[in-house]
Amino acid sequence: MSKSNKQPAAENPEELLDLKLTEPKTWAAGIPAVLIAGKDVFAEAGLVRGMTGLFHMNKKGGFDCSSCAWPDPDDERSPVAEYCENGAKAFAEEATAKKLDIPFFANNAVADLAKLNDYEIGRKGRIAQPVYLPKGATHYQPISWDEAFKKIARHLNSLQSPNEAAFYTSGRTSNEASFMYQLFVREFGTNNMPDCSNMCHESTSVALAEAIGIGKGTVTLNDFYDTEVIIIIGQNPGTNHPRMLSALEKAKNNGTKIIAVNPLKEAGLMAFKNPQKIKGILGFDTQLADLYLQVKINGDMALIKAIEKLLYDAERENPGKVFDNDFIGNKTVGFEEFIKHLKQYDPIKLAEEAGVPFAEVVQAAEMLKDKSKIIICWAMGVTQQVNGVDTIKEIVNLAILKGAIGKPGAGLCPVRGHSNVQGNRTMIIWEHPKEQQLDKLKEVFGFEPPREKGYDVVESIKAMHEGKLKVFFAMGGNFLSATPDTTFTADAMRKLKLTVHVSTKLNRGHLIHGDESIILPTLARSDKDVVNGEDQFISCENSMGVVQMSKGILEPVSKDLLNETQIVCRLAKATFGTRSVIDWDKYGASYDEVRNIIEKVIPGFKDYNLRVRKPGGFYLPNAPREGRFENTEFNGKAPFTITNLPQHKLADDEYMMTSIRSHDQFNTTIYGLNDRYRGIHNERRIIFMNPKDIEAAGFKAGDKVDLFNYYGDVERVARLFIIVPYNIPERNTATYYPETNVLIPIDSVALKSNTPTSKLIFIKIRKHIPSI
């Protein structure tokens, strides 16, 4: 291993910052959100550049926020601000005037940069030109675009098999770039296309595809304004999808009841102070959750079954008044077997298993009993569990018992994280494409795409470790910090011959590398994208299946940046030479040409260029939204699924840990060191514990501890954390991601989806022992 590649894979501090605690908030947003967001934007981008960008963000004809995938309103959008605090922070990160030029890389060794924490690395600025780290070198050095493409092409063409390369995709990547990227990879000859969905909503994609025939949600934003009950499970909208709060506020004003299900009491589930309304400006809030069910970690399955059993008992007392028997009879299969299975459960014991007082479970069932317009939302608190797929299928069971799908004001709403992660999959960014998709590529382009399944994220990391992968190419993202088992993953990446990252900013993934490493700087969403003198725009698909245009308006910080589509097309030309059957020059010169060819391959994109230019874009087809389950294996019907409760046994000194985001981050991007909703300031290396657990273990608040995981008889350690007493169920703990990713075992994954179980890790906690 070269000297430059011995840097730590994760933060490993010898001392902590000065942690300050305040009372956790019971409401989200308000004027503080506006002030903090404005401060961040103006500090990074300046007043004029900052205001220009904010005014155009998420507006029709403007650019899409690069953070979450929550949809924009179909009708009129806010004349003031159609973004949230964290969206503004994401914009500040990409609109910054700071840039990493040639002197920066000459003056900063890779090993020195790796000593910084993730927050410090990310705040350095935008990468201004392509850079290359030769084998054994200590510093990145400048390289021309042409030479960078030639180096990558030489590595790819020297492989014994195309399957010795893997091509990762971040959810930020546009539809146009995603389509051309997968086209290049498949003409190259592999389906090794791991993507960020493998680590977040893959469980959703698997469960919903099997249960309703499509791996996407079924609701529109307008359904939120016409529903009776919204259930939010394992999701924290105040931090992870703040614009959802406006939809919840509108629903509440229309009389909707909200049930929140989460192990921690989160401010964004309790109340919302809307900073765009006089009421919110004056400090008055809208109460959100009418009922807050504080489940144990992974107690969701038991809770849902308890509610279903109580609804079944109510249906027996009043036949035809609780279940939608017409819907069940005409549009589902397996009802009798499901009820037979359900009858074995005692709802009181299920409530105990969930960690929720039985009286509150009864209250939840009463709120649902005579309602049919129900929306159920969930996020990674559900998907990143070993039983994530089955829990989502249990959510579907509840919905179809009530006929709460395929009609206005009702349906399923998986809330996606990254802004185009759903669009990536629509564009066939997938390690396991359907035969029909591959057949269409062959028909339109005239080459035979590979048919064997490729590697997903976890499989890619293992293949690196085993020496089966030689080249890793990442289209965006921070692969190292996003993935599980950080030390294992870092060791795997160091075994590669070449790592390539298409990025806007520096991240830890650039500092843990193969023998050689290349960083290719690309345009951000807010940047003007001009090709051959013509302004271009991209398009993205949000969580509810709307495809709309996104057009950057800011001057890029450097003239030496390329858009992602051009990067793909130029790399393809360098790799294939005259061997390709695809006109890469044509697609690299015009996104309209890319969209023209997409509509020939991907269903639902007819007249793509025409419809995407209309304000607000267009909806993709969604049969379950219309009450049709035509793509299931049950003759157009939705199956009831029989699932079993997860079994967890803790040793006397063992705890469940869930990893969470602070309010000052989005995914692996750290905006600051505060989490003001939870009362944490100036530190991230903390562990939330129940006060009773702290006392029982002989600890006290403020103690410094080390965290251990022993899955598979391997000791994994995250050192130097501060104990913070918090309102969390007993024997449950919570820590920030990605600091504790080092504890998530590479082999601990959700059944069927292979998603890392980042929301349930079994840990032991010991007093911190300083390193000698």
Side-chain angles (χ1 to χ4, degrees):
M1 186 186 300
S2 69
K3 182 179 179 181
S4 69
N5 210 8
K6 293 181 180 178
Q7 49 271 10
E11 294 177 23
N12 192 22
E14 293 300 321
E15 59 185 39
L16 295 169
L17 300 173
D18 185 18
L19 171 66
K20 297 188 186 307
L21 301 178
T22 57
E23 195 69 23
K25 299 290 186 184
T26 57
W27 50 268
I31 293 301
V34 177
L35 297 177
I36 291 170
K39 179 182 177 181
D40 227 38
V41 169
F42 303 141
E44 291 292 324
L47 181 62
V48 175
R49 183 175 171 88
M51 288 300 297
T52 302
L54 290 177
F55 182 76
H56 287 84
M57 189 159 72
N58 294 324
K59 298 288 186 67
K60 295 176 180 178
F63 62 92
D64 253 10
C65 175
S66 61
S67 56
C68 87
W70 188 255
D72 302 313
D74 287 339
D75 46 19
E76 202 60 39
R77 300 183 188 177
S78 168
V80 181
E82 195 56 65
Y83 54 84
C84 67
E85 175 188 347
N86 277 358
K89 291 176 181 176
F91 166 67
E93 288 272 317
E94 66 181 47
T96 181
K98 296 182 293 190
K99 58 183 180 181
L100 310 186
D101 50 19
I102 294 171
F104 172 86
F105 288 103
N107 294 328
N108 290 274
V110 171
D112 292 332
L113 291 169
K115 294 175 184 176
L116 304 176
N117 62 39
D118 288 341
Y119 169 65
E120 293 167 330
I121 293 170
R123 301 297 275 192
K124 291 296 181 183
R126 291 284 297 275
I127 302 169
Q129 68 288 306
V131 289
Y132 167 59
L133 185 70
K135 184 175 181 178
T138 58
H139 293 66
Y140 276 100
Q141 59 193 40
I143 186 173
S144 70
W145 280 101
D146 284 342
E147 187 57 32
F149 291 134
K150 288 177 184 177
K151 281 187 179 293
I152 300 167
R154 281 197 294 269
H155 274 276
L156 292 175
N157 287 327
S158 69
L159 299 175
Q160 294 184 1
S161 163
N163 290 325
E164 291 184 335
F167 299 85
Y168 176 75
T169 313
S170 158
R172 193 192 75 93
T173 308
S174 69
N175 281 353
E176 293 78 8
S178 295
F179 183 83
M180 297 310 298
Y181 187 42
Q182 66 82 29
L183 190 63
F184 161 65
V185 172
R186 293 196 163 97
E187 190 179 25
F188 180 66
T190 185
N191 282 318
N192 290 344
M193 297 204 74
D195 72 324
C196 60
S197 183
N198 296 153
M199 294 183 283
C200 57
H201 269 283
E202 197 67 58
S203 296
T204 294
S205 299
V206 171
L208 293 188
E210 293 180 359
I212 63 172
I214 188 171
K216 302 179 181 182
T218 67
V219 299
T220 70
L221 193 54
N222 286 336
D223 287 323
F224 276 75
Y225 314 144
D226 186 31
T227 189
E228 295 171 307
V229 181
I230 299 171
I231 308 174
I232 304 171
I233 309 175
Q235 184 211 353
N236 177 16
T239 288
N240 301 331
H241 312 90
R243 286 203 299 154
M244 182 179 178
L245 298 178
S246 297
L248 296 178
E249 178 188 45
K250 190 170 181 178
K252 286 292 293 186
N253 291 339
N254 290 341
T256 300
K257 300 295 183 182
I258 296 177
I259 301 173
V261 181
N262 207 60
L264 280 75
K265 287 286 185 77
E266 301 287 15
L269 289 169
M270 291 188 277
F272 173 46
K273 293 184 180 180
N274 191 334
Q276 295 195 49
K277 294 185 176 180
I278 296 296
K279 176 183 174 181
I281 293 172
L282 294 176
F284 297 101
D285 59 46
T286 298
Q287 292 297 305
L288 297 179
D290 297 276
L291 177 63
Y292 205 121
L293 304 177
Q294 197 171 1
V295 294
K296 297 176 183 177
I297 294 171
N298 202 17
D300 313 286
M301 172 82 80
L303 173 65
I304 297 167
K305 284 182 178 291
I307 293 172
E308 290 169 338
K309 181 59 166 60
L310 290 173
L311 292 176
Y312 168 71
D313 292 342
E315 170 69 15
R316 289 180 62 197
E317 293 178 8
N318 296 282
K321 301 296 184 181
V322 179
F323 291 170
D324 188 333
N325 291 316
D326 287 341
F327 183 94
I328 292 169
N330 295 324
K331 297 192 175 184
T332 74
V333 295
F335 175 71
E336 290 78 10
E337 293 84 355
F338 169 75
I339 292 298
K340 181 179 178 181
H341 178 79
L342 184 65
K343 286 164 65 175
Q344 70 178 300
Y345 290 109
D346 179 347
I348 296 176
K349 291 182 179 179
L350 287 170
E352 182 179 351
E353 188 77 20
V356 177
F358 182 62
E360 294 181 5
V361 181
V362 172
Q363 187 179 348
E366 286 294 319
M367 291 172 67
L368 297 172
K369 187 170 66 174
D370 60 350
K371 305 292 191 299
S372 65
K373 296 167 73 171
I374 302 165
I375 293 174
I376 309 178
C377 307
W378 68 91
M380 288 180 284
V382 172
T383 66
Q384 292 179 331
Q385 306 278 4
V386 67
N387 54 298
V389 170
D390 273 358
T391 299
I392 295 163
K393 288 184 175 181
E394 200 65 59
I395 288 171
V396 175
N397 288 342
L398 177 58
I400 60 180
L401 277 175
K402 299 294 294 178
I405 188 170
K407 62 185 178 185
L412 305 170
C413 183
V415 186
R416 305 273 179 173
H418 221 321
S419 56
N420 198 41
V421 63
Q422 188 161 297
N424 293 165
R425 187 57 57 86
T426 302
M427 294 294 112
I428 332 180
I429 297 290
W430 194 11
E431 78 280 357
H432 197 188
K434 297 177 181 178
E435 286 296 315
Q436 307 95 290
Q437 294 173 316
L438 298 176
D439 290 343
K440 200 66 178 178
L441 289 175
K442 180 179 180 180
E443 174 190 327
V444 172
F445 293 103
F447 71 89
E448 180 60 59
R451 301 283 170 163
E452 66 272 22
K453 179 186 178 299
Y455 295 138
D456 64 17
V457 164
V458 169
E459 291 163 344
S460 292
I461 295 169
K462 291 181 178 180
M464 292 178 200
H465 229 286
E466 295 166 6
K468 295 178 181 178
L469 286 179
K470 310 296 184 185
V471 175
F472 177 76
F473 189 105
M475 183 63 75
N478 182 355
F479 186 80
L480 178 68
S481 292
T483 48
D485 221 335
T486 310
T487 303
F488 182 91
T489 299
D491 289 344
M493 296 192 75
R494 292 186 179 109
K495 294 181 179 182
L496 295 162
K497 297 296 183 184
L498 175 69
T499 47
V500 183
H501 295 270
V502 178
S503 303
T504 57
K505 302 190 72 179
L506 198 66
N507 65 56
R508 193 169 295 278
H510 304 139
L511 310 176
I512 305 295
H513 49 78
D515 289 345
E516 300 173 72
S517 181
I518 295 174
I519 306 175
L520 304 177
T522 192
L523 296 174
R525 287 272 178 84
S526 56
D527 290 335
K528 283 184 180 178
D529 190 349
V530 182
V531 180
N532 297 331
E534 293 189 14
D535 288 348
Q536 304 287 324
F537 68 86
I538 61 170
S539 57
C540 302
E541 178 185 344
N542 64 36
S543 259
M544 295 179 185
V546 177
V547 177
Q548 62 183 9
M549 67 182 290
S550 174
K551 187 173 184 179
I553 49 86
L554 299 180
E555 289 297 329
V557 296
S558 168
K559 296 185 182 299
D560 207 7
L561 309 180
L562 289 179
N563 65 51
E564 292 168 321
T565 299
Q566 282 192 307
I567 290 173
V568 171
C569 292
R570 289 179 62 176
L571 175 58
K573 287 186 63 181
T575 303
F576 297 132
T578 59
R579 305 195 313 268
S580 179
V581 298
I582 296 162
D583 188 347
W584 296 101
D585 284 331
K586 178 173 72 172
Y587 299 122
S590 171
Y591 292 171
D592 277 352
E593 293 291 351
V594 178
R595 288 185 284 269
N596 284 339
I597 202 68
I598 286 174
E599 71 173 70
K600 294 181 180 180
V601 176
I602 311 294
F605 284 85
K606 183 179 180 182
D607 298 325
Y608 193 175
N609 271 308
L610 177 65
R611 292 194 292 159
V612 79
R613 283 175 161 84
K614 293 181 179 179
F618 61 93
Y619 280 91
L620 290 174
N622 189 309
R625 180 177 290 159
E626 300 168 4
R628 295 180 287 111
F629 306 105
E630 53 198 28
N631 291 317
T632 68
E633 298 180 1
F634 301 93
N635 298 317
K637 294 189 175 184
F640 281 92
T641 305
I642 294 176
T643 64
N644 295 303
L645 292 175
Q647 301 295 318
H648 302 305
K649 293 184 179 180
L650 294 173
D652 291 343
D653 60 345
E654 201 170 28
Y655 303 84
M656 293 183 181
M657 185 192 85
T658 187
S659 61
I660 57 177
R661 296 178 190 165
S662 80
H663 190 64
D664 252 0
Q665 76 178 99
F666 180 76
N667 290 347
T668 59
T669 303
I670 312 300
Y671 302 135
L673 301 177
N674 300 325
D675 188 6
R676 72 177 190 279
Y677 289 169
R678 299 188 184 105
I680 305 297
H681 305 272
N682 203 42
E683 184 54 80
R684 289 179 52 82
R685 299 185 75 83
I686 60 96
I687 178 167
F688 294 112
M689 293 183 68
N690 185 289
K692 292 181 181 179
D693 290 333
I694 296 173
E695 182 180 1
F699 297 131
K700 63 181 183 298
D703 276 353
K704 296 176 182 178
V705 296
D706 297 330
L707 314 179
F708 296 81
N709 170 272
Y710 291 97
Y711 186 97
D713 294 325
V714 175
E715 183 180 80
R716 300 170 184 83
V717 189
R719 299 198 183 278
L720 197 52
F721 284 72
I722 301 173
I723 291 178
V724 175
Y726 207 76
N727 182 3
I728 188 171
E730 292 181 49
R731 308 295 294 280
N732 287 196
T733 66
T735 59
Y736 295 130
Y737 147 108
E739 284 82 353
T740 51
N741 281 11
V742 68
L743 298 173
I744 303 169
I746 190 70
D747 289 319
S748 180
V749 295
L751 300 176
K752 287 195 173 185
S753 69
N754 214 33
T755 297
T757 59
S758 303
K759 294 299 182 184
L760 176 51
I761 308 100
F762 297 94
I763 65 168
K764 296 188 177 186
I765 306 171
R766 297 174 188 150
K767 284 283 185 72
H768 172 66
I769 301 176
S771 58
I772 299 174

